[in-house]
């Protein structure tokens, strides 16, 4: 969907009342720095993957209060007239730096740094968190599934298990995290994710026999198609499939039962029928653990639905967006000073930060290093923050293919234990200088 | 956001290739019945709440293949020209019945019944499941939280923890499930959900002191506002708040620490200061269990975020959309016959169904009864399916307020044990006649 509508009301009520309060107190123009980070990784995870950057930048450009938005705020008394007037002119004019999309992150990594006036930066909080919390949860789960699947392609097919728009973003984030294709057509249109799919059980049940259904599908889509063989009896279906398609049949899909054992039987049957090139795709409540367990089975591809779109146990990744520094005075060049709340159990670390990944002499990541100043390019330090928005202008937009490639590279750099499926601690320590 | 864009590509690729295959085989016009149901409730849950009906009907009216959609499908070779021509004219012309939004459901409840040609009904699968699986997960969690909170109001504030559009739907579903308000402004505009919110810790940190921040907020928003009192020291903040606002201060919010113990101390302090009418709102990683545990604490309202928007452990509710009957022949009046796959572990129950809730003579629900024919209005049977779409025309749209009222009524009818928070089995048996 080509969506050029305003994103401005995808925002918590209190962002705008804070704005009103700050306009009243006169503190609204104070130069401020907000940072997005996670206090911890989801339970048992060894790394996370940043995703959502491209979508956030797009939504930021559409963060505008037009007549429709202002009328709603006015009619419902959300904010006063002075605030409405300020919002009518709103354009973010500050700077944003962020981890590249697809990059790994660890507890405390400053994934996004937003610098501007308090007023212009605070009201982006909800939108930024929504996008990154969702997309990073999906990409992080996808990355583990990719590690488990090795060279075998992963197909994202979870649209039906999540909100219809989350589904589009999930397909995109899964692609960033290493999936090969998605079932979601809108993800194809909006984000250029390759899409695929052939038929469900309903297609077989619609016809008078499985044979009729297979015949129709083969004639219509060619012998390279994937036939679903578990509606009635797998062995009979495979026999019918090869009888109709010949040994050039593209693939068969198994969606139920013991997937490993069934795949082994089907492989033997296909080979005996001469269909040695016919691939076997398995689907049905797969996650990273069951994918790994199928590593020894003759499987050529995995379709993953529910566990992918729900982040495999971590549907959100607890990113927060915190004020870490603000100017001492109202002048644009007033010096920044760190601020931090002292709420029990939720401490924050004040001050603007820079982050680099430390690599050993073999190029393996050994630490996430966070500095209170730009460390420039020290030896063995790979800087992680890149400019995303410069004085209000988006400068860091990339293609989803670039993000996917960054994911591949960053994972290759992680120490081996980071990719273990078992529950563990963060694979790299975060060192605050 | 007033969104009148097409919803047609929020769909799995295979729905359209199945359509192509059915057009090829000639089976596309066969009259068919699809049903949406859950094989089971999420682990440990005693009932589920249907939500998404209103959104689905809205999206159904926008399920149209315009130039943009057709160009994408054509350019990417998703389907052939004949299928593209069919899609260009697509208008759903069949009938839909469904459980009223806000209604309780149980394993096997036929929540949605879609009758039409195979072609027109099959391609709605993904969209229908996305909407109902998401919204019902949220409403089901919200319903349990409402039961735990009793008469104390619940505030939905989870937008930042979920996809920016799911957030809007989640606020709506939470309202259906008994929440009083939401932080999400778009949910206010699009769905009429009451919104609220005042300030975060950043507002306090922005100012030179907590006193400056409170003063600005009180002057700008009035003494009825809610002051956040845990940025530095709760006791000092409460003292400052009442000193500045007087005993008419609306509320204080506590977002960290031991919420129950802190609320007790704050209540005593407020009372001692004469602020006996000042309410105490608690927020911070609450779920139905912690809400219940706070029942004895002097708390006047709960804000719930993450656990609400992630369905409190069940972010999706496993609804499926299955072909259960199709006509023997192609004629519009050909008799329907039941169909069902026999996949291992995923059996389906063939045949069109009608459902009623059986009530005892005190009006308490005792069973979910599912019939292979319309049982009319038997004594003690409350019919559950209502017409939603009649010959392609939406006839069942209601307001979110009606759905909220239905939720209240249906929960009041459930047996007491249904509302226990402990893990359990479905509170009503589903009886298939």
């Amino acid at each position: 969907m080509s969506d050029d509508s305003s994103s401005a009301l995808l925002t918590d009520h209190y962002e705008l009342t804070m704005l009103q309060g700050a306009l009243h107190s006169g503190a609204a123009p104070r130069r401020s720095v907000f940072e997005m980070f996670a206090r911890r990784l989801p339970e048992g995870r060894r790394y996370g993957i940043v995703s959502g950057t491209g979508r956030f930048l797009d939504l930021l450009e559409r963060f505008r209060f037009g007549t429709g938005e202002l009328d709603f705020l006015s009619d419902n008394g959300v904010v006063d007239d002075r605030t409405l007037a300020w919002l009518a002119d709103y354009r973010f004019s500050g700077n944003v730096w962020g981890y590249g999309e697809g990059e790994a992150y660890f507890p405390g990594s400053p994934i996004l740094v937003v610098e501007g006036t308090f007023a212009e930066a605070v009201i982006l909080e909800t939108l930024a968190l929504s996008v990154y919390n969702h997309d990073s949860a999906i990409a992080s789960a996808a990355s583990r599934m990719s590690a488990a699947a090795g060279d075998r392609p992963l197909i994202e097919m979870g649209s039906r298990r999540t909100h219809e728009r989350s589904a589009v973003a999930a397909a995109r984030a899964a692609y960033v995290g290493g999936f090969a294709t998605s079932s979601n057509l809108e993800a194809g249109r909006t984000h250029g994710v390759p899409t695929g799919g052939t038929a469900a059980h309903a297609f077989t049940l619609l016809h008078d026999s499985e044979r009729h259904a297979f015949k129709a599908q083969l004639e219509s889509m060619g012998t390279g198609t994937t036939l679903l063989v578990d509606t009635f009896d797998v062995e009979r279906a495979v026999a019918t499939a090869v009888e109709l398609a010949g040994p050039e049949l593209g693939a068969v899909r198994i969606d139920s039962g013991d997937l490993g054992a069934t795949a082994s039987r089907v492989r033997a049957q296909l080979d005996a029928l001469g269909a040695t090139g016919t691939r076997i795709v398995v689907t049905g409540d797969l996650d990273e653990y069951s994918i790994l367990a199928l590593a020894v089975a003759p499987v050529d591809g995995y379709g993953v639905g529910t566990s992918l779109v729900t982040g495999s146990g971590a549907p959100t990744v607890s990113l927060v967006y915190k004020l870490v520094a603000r100017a001492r005075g109202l002048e644009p060049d007033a010096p920044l000073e760190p601020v931090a709340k002292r709420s029990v159990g939720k401490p924050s670390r004040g001050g603007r930060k820079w982050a680099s990944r430390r690599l050993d002499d073999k190029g393996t990541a050994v630490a996430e290093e966070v500095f209170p100043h730009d460390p420039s390019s020290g030896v063995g330090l790979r800087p992680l923050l890149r400019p995303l928005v410069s004085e209000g202008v988006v400068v860091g937009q990339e293609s989803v293919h670039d993000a996917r490639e960054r994911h591949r590279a960053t994972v290759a750099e992680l120490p081996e234990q980071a990719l273990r499926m078992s529950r563990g601690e963060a694979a790299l320590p975060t060192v605050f200088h």
Side-chain angles (χ1 to χ4, degrees), chain A:
Chain A
M1 162 183 156
S2 58
D3 185 352
D4 55 3
S5 59
S6 168
S7 61
L9 293 191
L10 299 168
T11 297
D12 286 336
H13 190 117
Y14 83 177
E15 313 288 4
L16 302 192
T17 49
M18 277 195 277
L19 169 63
Q20 174 179 315
L23 288 170
H24 177 84
S25 74
R30 272 196 177 185
R31 192 157 63 96
S32 298
V33 179
F34 287 83
E35 281 179 4
M36 182 188 289
F37 60 93
R39 294 198 178 90
R40 63 197 78 80
L41 297 174
E43 182 82 19
R45 292 285 179 84
R46 297 163 183 260
Y47 67 100
I49 294 295
V50 174
S51 189
T53 317
R55 293 208 311 115
F56 173 66
L57 294 175
D58 177 47
L59 288 161
L60 176 63
E61 292 186 307
R62 299 195 276 114
F63 200 91
R64 299 277 186 274
F65 294 82
T67 313
E69 290 71 40
L70 295 169
D71 284 352
F72 167 76
L73 298 174
S74 174
D75 293 349
N76 290 272
V78 175
V79 288
D80 60 19
D81 288 347
R82 178 184 181 179
T83 309
L84 292 173
W86 189 93
L87 291 171
D89 290 336
Y90 179 73
R91 298 286 184 275
F92 180 74
S93 68
N95 301 302
V96 182
W97 298 264
Y99 276 39
E101 184 157 17
E103 185 61 79
Y105 75 89
F106 299 90
S109 295
I111 288 172
L112 197 72
V113 179
V114 178
E115 184 191 73
T117 66
F118 175 82
E120 69 182 349
V122 73
I123 62 176
L124 298 176
E125 177 182 31
T126 310
L127 183 65
L129 287 174
S130 291
V131 171
Y132 277 89
N133 265 321
H134 175 266
D135 292 13
S136 301
I138 307 303
S140 297
S143 181
R144 281 165 57 84
M145 294 171 188
S146 300
D151 292 335
R152 296 174 177 177
L154 287 162
I155 305 159
E156 188 282 308
M157 40 182 273
S159 294
R160 63 190 56 198
R161 301 295 190 204
T162 189
H163 182 277
E164 72 277 7
R165 294 274 163 201
S166 308
V168 182
R172 179 184 179 282
Y175 188 67
V176 169
F179 274 55
T181 57
S182 167
S183 65
N184 191 284
L185 291 169
E186 191 61 67
R189 170 161 67 164
T190 305
H191 301 299
V193 174
T195 69
T198 53
H201 296 105
F203 186 76
T204 298
L205 294 173
L206 166 70
H207 291 88
D208 291 326
S209 71
E210 191 170 58
R211 176 177 293 268
H212 276 94
F214 285 2
K215 190 161 175 290
Q217 186 179 330
L218 288 162
E219 286 175 7
S220 174
M221 301 176 217
T223 52
T225 194
T226 301
L227 293 173
L228 177 59
V229 292
D230 71 337
T231 305
F232 303 114
D233 177 87
V234 172
E235 187 178 347
R236 203 159 28 156
V238 171
T240 305
V242 178
E243 182 196 328
L244 293 172
E248 273 71 48
L249 175 63
V252 296
R253 176 160 79 96
I254 306 165
D255 183 53
S256 56
D258 179 329
L259 296 174
T262 309
S264 293
R265 283 199 304 273
V266 168
R267 182 74 271 157
Q269 186 184 359
L270 286 169
D271 290 348
L273 294 167
T276 53
T278 300
R279 288 169 294 112
I280 298 175
V281 176
V282 296
T283 57
D285 286 333
L286 291 174
D287 62 15
E288 60 269 44
Y289 304 103
S290 48
I291 289 168
L292 194 64
L294 287 166
V296 296
V299 166
D300 303 287
Y302 305 94
V304 186
T306 307
S307 69
L308 186 276
V309 298
T310 59
S312 197
T316 185
V317 289
S318 305
L319 294 168
V320 294
Y321 181 93
K322 295 294 172 192
L323 180 68
V324 295
R326 49 117 176 102
R328 233 165 257 171
L330 295 176
E331 318 74 55
D333 59 348
L336 286 173
E337 57 187 16
V339 294
K341 64 175 173 171
R342 295 197 294 269
S343 308
V344 181
K346 293 181 177 177
S348 55
R349 198 179 296 268
R352 165 76 202 274
K353 299 168 198 68
W354 283 258
S356 292
R357 192 149 300 153
R358 184 168 292 283
L359 308 173
D360 67 14
D361 52 13
K362 289 173 182 152
T364 301
V366 293
E368 189 82 338
E369 305 213 356
V370 182
F371 301 87
H373 54 80
D374 188 344
S376 306
S377 48
V379 176
L381 284 179
R382 180 164 70 78
L384 294 165
L385 288 170
R386 49 191 296 275
L388 299 178
V389 180
S390 181
E391 296 185 0
V393 178
V394 170
V395 296
Q397 191 57 281
E398 316 177 291
S399 80
V400 72
H401 310 289
D402 291 339
R404 190 167 193 265
E405 173 54 25
R406 181 180 291 109
H407 170 260
R408 198 202 53 70
T410 195
V411 166
E413 195 182 77
L414 292 178
E416 208 177 314
Q417 44 104 344
L419 304 181
R420 288 195 200 136
M421 291 299 123
S422 59
R423 299 169 79 83
E425 302 296 317
L428 299 189
T430 306
V431 180
F432 291 91
H433 292 275

